Amino acid sequence: TGYLADDTPIRIELTTRKQAKTESLTNTPVTGTVSFTKVNNWDIALPGAVFTLTDQTTGSDLVLTETSNGSGVVTFSDVPFGVYELEEITAPDNHELSPTKYSLEIDSSGVLITGWDEEIVNQIKGGGITVTLTDADTGLPLSDITFKVFDSSSRNRSTGMTNSSGVVVFSGLMVGETYRIVQTIPAGYYPTAEHSITVALEQNYNISWYDYPIAASIEINKVDSQNASKKLQGVSFGLYLAGDPDTLLETGLTDVNGKLVFRNLELTLKGPATSSLAPILDELEYIVKELATITGYNLNTSPYNVTLTDRTEEAALTVTNVPVAGGGDKPPKPPVEPPKPPVEPPNPPDEPKPPPKPVIGEPVFPITKDHIWYIQGYPDGTIRPNGDITREEVAMVFWRLSISPDKNDPVASLSYPDVKPGRWSYQAITYLSSVGVLLGYPSGDFLPKNPITRGELAAILSRIYVLELEGTNLFSDIAGHWAVDYIDNVSVVGWMQGYPNGLFRPQNKTTRAEFCTAINRMLSRKLAKEDADDKLNIFSDLKKADWGYQEIIEAAYTHDYERATIDDYERWTKIYPKD
């Protein structure tokens, strides 16, 4: 048993001279093949698993060793007849060792006999991903929002929904795999590229996820009721929330084309600050009222209700005025300003006077006066106008704008534990820290990947020009904030503004569109929206109707220009390719 029969005839001749003859005969041992596939509990083939096959015959010391190949297949060839024990001695990377020892037999015919399936499964060493979802404006959690986790082969490995704290946890994910986390976009929020995140998982990964409310707009076109081609300039309008019709949010005058646009409007109403949950509404209703008209026309007293949703984030309405009898065809008179509030009596002598407008001197490092590009898109063709801009990206912008010969000499003594030589932003961060524009945190770290807040950006802009102004709390939410003086400074000079509800939101992440707007204002770079040619827009996620569209175009190109005064819009005369 265990050998192949040799049926070859052997001729033996006996003679009287030799009565005995010796012949050597051999038999070939029976052998078989042991083969199986190594997979994990996601049914993915696993290379790199090492197995031993030990002969259980008494006195035998035969031990064979094989490793699973790229397809997860383990093959033992030419295994002699006998009973064996199969054991995994090394697990594939990021997997648990299989604890089971398997018995098998190569029978007398060389056939493999097993009592188990020809697959051996390893359990994944589970890692986890925790997503915390908040409203980027209010910081409140967003609940009941669905997230899905896809692996590198685009298979959906897990689906979950945020709880009342805005948290969803995905566990049991394979360590070492790369995942995409995809969100179902809530009503009233922008579908930005940040809603797909690729995560190279180590053990556990925490993602702070921010959704940005859609900034909507209402366009008013003011015309003569008897002649729609006659545009009415200088008519005053006010904007109100339908739920609070007595609180004036914003005012404006129609321009020479009879047009007025209220921009950057919210279309989702958030829960109060005391709420643990931010309700998401898919629409918000505004009221537009005419406050004052121009000479020769009757005031239009009809309120106009405009409902904005995530499907109609831009609304336009035409408002007509009836001419006063005999007055509609007269030459237009200068526009009438809206009524001014009554003059307050002078402040008592012991009350402080309003602070003076800060004087803008020279920057603490030389900045180019040329209009060079300072922001660019991502490899996927997007610019992400409503996405975050990180602290190191901000450092690179100012480093790019600097014309100091010292900017290429990093100051090693000013490095941070988390900003090592060789990092792409190392020179920029150390240089701008050396001139006092950028500062680290009390821990000593710089945290280069952190999104920059509106308060931090205000501080940086103020430090560049050493603006000095006593804090006056120009916004209702900055009292006591560490950046209150900086915020007042940049607000007074017009580089950064608050929101229609009187808030500045200093802890909000600065969007890329907001960042470009602030830098362009600081550098007096002004491009009219109608002059931002559509052909210049190479970004797949940027639309001309977007808030900050022209600011991003201005920032993305190096160009020559001409204009009469620094307060006028530019007319581009030449565009240079990026170096």
Side-chain angles (χ1 to χ4, degrees):
T1 301
Y3 289 88
L4 298 176
D6 186 351
D7 56 1
T8 304
I10 299 173
R11 183 179 177 182
I12 300 175
E13 183 178 351
L14 300 179
T15 67
T16 58
R17 296 184 302 276
K18 194 169 185 179
Q19 299 298 320
K21 185 174 177 115
T22 301
E23 291 286 345
S24 295
L25 305 178
T26 61
N27 284 83
T28 302
V30 172
T31 62
T33 298
V34 176
S35 184
F36 56 91
T37 302
K38 187 66 176 171
V39 297
N40 66 15
N41 50 312
W42 284 4
D43 200 30
I44 295 175
L46 299 177
V50 181
F51 284 84
T52 58
L53 194 62
T54 304
D55 190 346
Q56 299 297 292
T57 304
T58 303
S60 174
D61 58 359
L62 176 65
V63 179
L64 305 176
T65 303
E66 290 292 346
T67 302
S68 59
N69 63 19
S71 300
V73 175
V74 182
T75 301
F76 291 90
S77 301
D78 299 323
V79 180
F81 161 79
V83 176
Y84 294 86
E85 182 178 79
L86 178 70
E87 180 181 8
E88 183 179 53
I89 60 172
T90 302
D93 290 344
N94 304 315
H95 289 78
E96 302 286 351
L97 189 70
S98 175
T100 305
K101 295 181 180 181
Y102 301 88
S103 293
L104 58 90
E105 178 183 354
I106 301 295
D107 71 7
S108 59
S109 300
V111 176
L112 172 66
I113 300 174
T114 69
W116 39 274
D117 295 334
E118 294 181 4
E119 278 190 348
I120 297 179
V121 179
N122 284 84
Q123 295 298 314
I124 294 168
K125 279 187 178 178
I129 297 175
T130 299
V131 178
T132 303
L133 177 64
T134 55
D135 182 291
D137 278 357
T138 66
L140 293 174
L142 300 180
S143 67
D144 300 326
I145 307 302
T146 300
F147 284 83
K148 294 183 178 181
V149 178
F150 294 88
D151 65 13
S152 56
S153 62
S154 296
R155 294 178 65 179
N156 181 199
R157 290 301 182 184
S158 190
T159 300
M161 186 174 289
T162 55
N163 61 20
S164 60
S165 299
V167 175
V168 58
V169 178
F170 300 101
S171 57
L173 301 177
M174 188 167 67
V175 176
E177 174 65 286
T178 299
Y179 298 93
R180 282 186 309 117
I181 317 300
V182 179
Q183 177 197 18
T184 300
I185 310 302
Y189 288 83
Y190 280 110
T192 66
E194 280 70 24
H195 289 207
S196 281
I197 296 178
T198 299
V199 178
L201 195 66
E202 293 179 357
Q203 282 293 335
N204 287 281
Y205 200 98
N206 295 309
I207 300 173
S208 296
W209 198 298
Y210 301 94
D211 278 350
Y212 289 85
I214 294 175
S217 64
I218 298 175
E219 178 182 302
I220 301 166
N221 293 284
K222 190 64 174 173
V223 298
D224 185 302
S225 65
Q226 299 175 3
N227 181 2
S229 64
K230 183 179 290 186
K231 314 299 182 183
L232 303 184
Q233 179 185 5
V235 180
S236 173
F237 285 89
L239 184 68
Y240 306 79
L241 267 179
D244 188 9
D246 296 325
T247 301
L248 181 62
L249 299 177
E250 194 173 345
T251 62
L253 296 173
T254 54
D255 62 16
V256 67
N257 297 311
K259 182 181 295 186
L260 168 64
V261 182
F262 291 115
R263 303 183 187 279
N264 206 28
L265 305 178
E266 294 181 352
L267 56 78
T268 55
L269 187 61
K270 313 305 184 310
T274 55
S275 172
S276 63
L277 180 64
I280 302 173
L281 308 181
D282 61 1
E283 64 182 38
L284 196 58
E285 187 175 5
Y286 288 88
I287 298 175
V288 175
K289 296 180 184 179
E290 186 172 309
L291 303 179
T293 188
I294 57 176
T295 304
Y297 286 87
N298 293 308
L299 183 71
N300 187 332
T301 58
S302 301
Y304 290 81
N305 287 54
V306 181
T307 299
L308 298 175
T309 74
D310 58 347
R311 297 170 298 282
T312 56
E313 59 192 82
E314 300 163 12
L317 60 125
T318 299
V319 180
T320 60
N321 278 81
V322 178
V324 175
D329 294 324
K330 293 180 180 180
K333 294 184 179 181
V336 176
E337 295 291 332
K340 295 183 179 179
V343 177
E344 295 289 336
N347 291 331
D350 58 344
E351 289 192 9
K353 295 180 179 180
K357 189 173 182 178
V359 176
I360 302 177
E362 292 298 316
V364 296
F365 63 91
I367 296 177
T368 181
K369 296 188 183 301
D370 294 332
H371 286 199
I372 65 170
W373 72 270
Y374 62 80
I375 198 165
Q376 57 186 346
Y378 292 89
D380 62 1
T382 63
I383 189 68
R384 304 174 191 175
N386 297 295
D388 299 338
I389 185 165
T390 66
R391 287 168 56 81
E392 64 183 336
E393 287 174 331
V394 169
M396 284 301 300
V397 166
F398 290 116
W399 185 83
R400 226 173 257 138
L401 294 170
S402 171
I403 55 175
S404 170
D406 299 328
K407 76 175 192 176
N408 294 313
D409 298 323
V411 185
S413 61
L414 290 174
S415 61
Y416 302 91
D418 56 347
V419 181
K420 303 293 186 184
R423 189 182 185 90
W424 67 277
S425 58
Y426 177 75
Q427 282 185 322
I429 291 172
T430 56
Y431 168 68
L432 289 159
S433 295
S434 72
V435 295
V437 171
L438 296 182
L439 302 177
Y441 290 91
S443 64
D445 292 324
F446 185 79
L447 304 182
K449 290 185 177 181
N450 271 22
I452 200 157
T453 67
R454 287 171 53 81
E456 288 174 333
L457 180 59
I460 290 171
L461 300 185
S462 193
R463 290 188 198 118
I464 290 175
Y465 282 90
V466 198
L467 302 181
E468 295 182 357
L469 178 67
E470 293 298 326
T472 54
N473 296 345
L474 296 179
F475 304 95
S476 60
D477 60 341
I478 65 173
H481 192 275
W482 66 268
V484 59
D485 290 345
Y486 297 127
I487 294 168
D488 283 333
N489 285 340
V490 296
S491 176
V492 170
V493 296
W495 296 346
M496 294 182 72
Q497 297 176 352
Y499 294 88
N501 57 7
L503 301 178
F504 186 81
R505 297 171 180 163
Q507 292 302 115
N508 271 22
K509 310 306 185 279
T510 305
T511 69
R512 291 165 65 83
E514 287 175 334
F515 176 76
C516 292
T517 301
I519 301 307
N520 290 343
R521 288 173 179 167
M522 183 185 79
L523 301 177
S524 298
R525 294 175 60 161
K526 297 177 66 175
L527 178 65
K529 194 164 194 174
E530 56 268 23
D531 293 335
D533 195 320
D534 291 343
K535 295 178 182 178
L536 299 173
N537 181 15
I538 59 173
F539 307 113
S540 61
D541 59 341
L542 184 64
K543 298 181 294 185
K544 196 156 190 174
D546 290 343
W547 186 91
Y549 170 85
Q550 71 276 20
E551 307 293 352
I552 291 175
I553 297 299
E554 169 69 34
Y557 287 92
T558 299
H559 54 271
D560 292 337
Y561 66 95
E562 59 184 21
R563 59 183 173 188
T565 72
I566 198 170
D567 294 322
D568 293 326
Y569 288 114
E570 307 167 14
R571 189 180 72 82
W572 289 11
T573 57
K574 184 177 181 180
I575 299 174
Y576 294 87
K578 287 187 177 178
D579 48 16

